[in-house]
Amino acid sequence: MTSVLTGWEIMKFNTYLSNKKNLELIRDTSINEVILEHKTLSRMGRLDTNSLLCLTDAALDEGLSPVLQWDILCTEGNFKNCTRLLDNLPLSKFTAIRVQDIGAAEWMHQKLPEIPIHFIAETGNHNLTGLLRWNEYFGQQLHRFALSSELPKSKLINYCHSIKVPCEILAAGRILLFYTPRKLLSNYESSKNSFDFIEKTLVPSDQQQRKFSTLENQHGTFMYHHKDLFLLDFIPDLQKINLNVLRLDFRHMEINQDWIKKIDRLLGSFDKKTVNSLKSKWPTKITRGFFRANRTDLAIGRIKNPHLQDHGVNLVGCIVESVKEKHLIILTRKSFKSGKSLFGITPEGRECIISTEPIYTTDGKPVGLIESGNLYQLPHTKYVTAETLVYSRPE
């Protein structure tokens, strides 16, 4: 086996297989890879062992390539349950095992080196340096990366050309916003041993137009974006960036074979009218997510306190301690002379005049020339608190 791409590989779809009805939907399409989820191994798994094996055999009879999903985050207890189950499954029937927990990947690397790994790097492995390191570590056993939907097109291009294994992204389906292993929708004691799925729609009080589907099962609580990710209208762009697999996730919705066939034809003959028809009939609102650009970092500037940002070359220091009616401690950035009045802006935006007469070192010695990079004691000034920025006043 080799995981290195040799030449251009034709892009393909894969999808989840939950029951035999799904087999009927993808019959007579180009979709030949299906993901199966056991309820012990997969966070959204609903299949018991017998159902999993029956569905695997049915997929093989249809000429499909079944892939086993092991995407739960493992604790010591559930890890032992997972490995015990895997020891009793006919793993040779699966084309690969999809893993998210690095401990699970390491266990496969040590115990099942003959089974290909599809590494799910959607939540905790977003940087290229890290992905390349995992690529190197797992070597030829690593056959694919499932990349994060938070990567914009510019980064996807770089990643797909730098990583020497096939790459996959979610092309249509739910966007996971939040996960916790805690049970938030029901009483923990009554649900901790239950495999039941509980699903509710949560609506923030200040955002009535947003309805977040929230699901709870034995593995924890999952909250999803109120819009589905939909990148099918960008298929021509995706085909140019060396991306190999587009994942279709219809687990939360009813879909018919006609839809599947229309989507399938987009790979060979892209038609904008077909895409627009699919978009107009999609059962939920849709979004392209971060595909064009990920600008989430722009919000950082908006949430920063503007009064704690350096307002120019006149900044001479920052107050690090304020003791009422006693003193202020300043950490200096520039030199100045004792007796010079300074101008302070508190974290709340209050403007104050700060006296430097007298000024002392922290051990109580008077000084006349203040040096940069040291701590000094000033007379206390009303309203001045720690983190107040201190500027020199214009002459």
Side-chain angles (χ1 to χ4, degrees):
M1 295 181 183
T2 177
S3 60
V4 177
L5 292 176
T6 55
W8 176 255
E9 295 190 8
I10 297 175
M11 179 181 284
K12 65 180 181 180
F13 288 122
N14 66 356
T15 192
Y16 297 89
L17 188 63
S18 303
N19 50 57
K20 289 189 177 180
K21 180 181 177 182
N22 298 149
L23 279 176
E24 297 294 327
L25 293 178
I26 63 174
R27 183 174 285 139
D28 300 325
T29 70
S30 68
I31 300 174
N32 66 356
E33 180 180 288
V34 288
I35 303 167
L36 290 93
E37 301 171 294
H38 192 285
K39 59 187 178 182
T40 298
L41 300 174
S42 180
R43 53 173 59 182
M44 290 295 116
R46 297 174 185 258
L47 299 172
D48 59 25
T49 301
N50 288 335
S51 300
L52 175 78
L53 295 178
C54 289
L55 204 51
T56 301
D57 289 337
L60 290 170
D61 290 341
E62 293 284 342
L64 304 177
S65 298
V67 176
L68 183 63
Q69 181 131 305
W70 181 10
D71 65 340
I72 65 168
L73 300 180
C74 296
T75 63
E76 183 176 355
N78 64 29
F79 183 77
K80 289 180 179 179
N81 292 334
C82 291
T83 56
R84 191 180 302 118
L85 173 64
L86 289 166
D87 286 338
N88 293 312
L89 290 179
L91 297 180
S92 60
K93 293 185 176 183
F94 297 99
T95 305
I97 297 180
R98 297 167 65 88
V99 294
Q100 178 169 229
D101 191 296
I102 193 62
E106 174 63 11
W107 183 86
M108 283 192 60
H109 192 50
Q110 297 295 329
K111 303 293 185 179
L112 302 172
E114 73 282 1
I115 304 292
I117 291 174
H118 290 180
F119 192 95
I120 303 172
E122 294 182 312
T123 56
N125 294 267
H126 291 184
N127 67 86
L128 180 58
T129 301
L131 294 174
L132 291 174
R133 180 65 184 90
W134 292 128
N135 193 172
E136 177 186 359
Y137 179 76
F138 292 112
Q140 292 190 350
Q141 188 179 11
L142 181 65
H143 279 217
R144 186 183 305 164
F145 276 118
L147 299 177
S148 171
S149 57
E150 296 175 20
L151 298 175
K153 178 183 174 182
S154 58
K155 285 190 177 293
L156 279 174
I157 293 173
N158 185 26
Y159 282 34
C160 292
H161 283 89
S162 301
I163 297 171
K164 302 305 180 184
V165 295
C167 292
E168 166 194 317
I169 63 167
L170 175 66
R174 271 179 167 176
I175 302 171
L176 181 65
L177 289 180
F178 167 81
Y179 163 72
T180 175
R182 298 173 60 198
K183 308 296 182 68
L184 301 183
L185 301 184
S186 64
N187 179 274
Y188 177 75
E189 289 301 320
S190 65
S191 65
K192 64 181 180 180
N193 295 318
S194 173
F195 288 87
D196 294 337
F197 280 65
I198 301 171
E199 186 158 6
K200 295 183 179 179
T201 300
L202 302 184
V203 182
S205 59
D206 61 337
Q207 297 181 12
Q208 295 296 321
Q209 75 278 17
R210 296 188 179 188
K211 299 180 179 181
F212 298 100
S213 294
T214 305
L215 186 148
E216 178 194 296
N217 61 21
Q218 61 159 336
H219 300 300
T221 306
F222 308 81
M223 177 181 281
Y224 295 92
H225 198 281
H226 66 291
K227 296 180 180 180
D228 276 5
L229 184 66
F230 189 96
L231 299 182
L232 299 179
D233 44 352
F234 295 108
I235 282 178
D237 295 324
L238 294 169
Q239 288 176 320
K240 297 175 183 178
I241 65 176
N242 213 29
L243 191 68
N244 298 90
V245 183
L246 301 181
R247 189 169 74 258
L248 304 173
D249 184 0
F250 304 129
R251 291 173 294 179
H252 62 299
M253 56 189 284
E254 291 291 332
I255 192 166
N256 58 46
Q257 190 178 46
D258 182 55
W259 272 33
I260 293 284
K261 288 186 175 181
K262 285 181 178 180
I263 292 172
D264 183 51
R265 287 195 292 267
L266 294 175
L267 289 181
S269 180
F270 184 80
D271 179 46
K272 192 67 176 177
K273 290 183 179 179
T274 299
V275 173
N276 289 337
S277 174
L278 289 168
K279 290 168 70 173
S280 66
K281 296 177 182 178
W282 206 261
T284 66
K285 292 182 178 180
I286 58 174
T287 176
R288 64 190 179 196
F290 298 121
F291 183 73
R292 285 283 179 84
N294 186 340
R295 296 190 176 92
T296 51
D297 58 332
L298 298 181
I300 295 174
R302 294 195 295 269
I303 63 177
K304 284 184 176 178
N305 187 336
H307 308 302
L308 297 180
Q309 298 179 33
D310 185 346
H311 290 287
V313 295
N314 293 327
L315 181 68
V316 297
C318 176
I319 300 299
V320 297
E321 180 182 88
S322 175
V323 180
K324 189 175 181 180
E325 297 182 356
K326 290 188 177 181
H327 65 256
L328 304 174
I329 300 295
I330 183 173
L331 175 62
T332 57
R333 282 185 49 175
K334 287 186 177 181
S335 299
F336 60 91
K337 293 181 180 180
S338 174
K340 182 181 179 67
S341 292
L342 303 177
F343 176 72
I345 301 178
T346 71
E348 297 77 28
R350 186 185 293 272
E351 299 177 355
C352 306
I353 303 300
I354 299 174
S355 172
T356 62
E357 180 64 44
I359 188 167
Y360 302 93
T361 61
T362 52
D363 56 3
K365 297 179 180 179
V367 291
L369 180 63
I370 311 308
E371 297 180 352
S372 175
N374 292 329
L375 293 170
Y376 295 94
Q377 187 178 140
L378 304 174
H380 183 263
T381 300
K382 190 177 181 180
Y383 303 122
V384 174
T385 61
E387 296 191 78
T388 296
L389 296 183
V390 182
Y391 299 85
S392 61
R393 299 179 69 190
E395 298 295 339

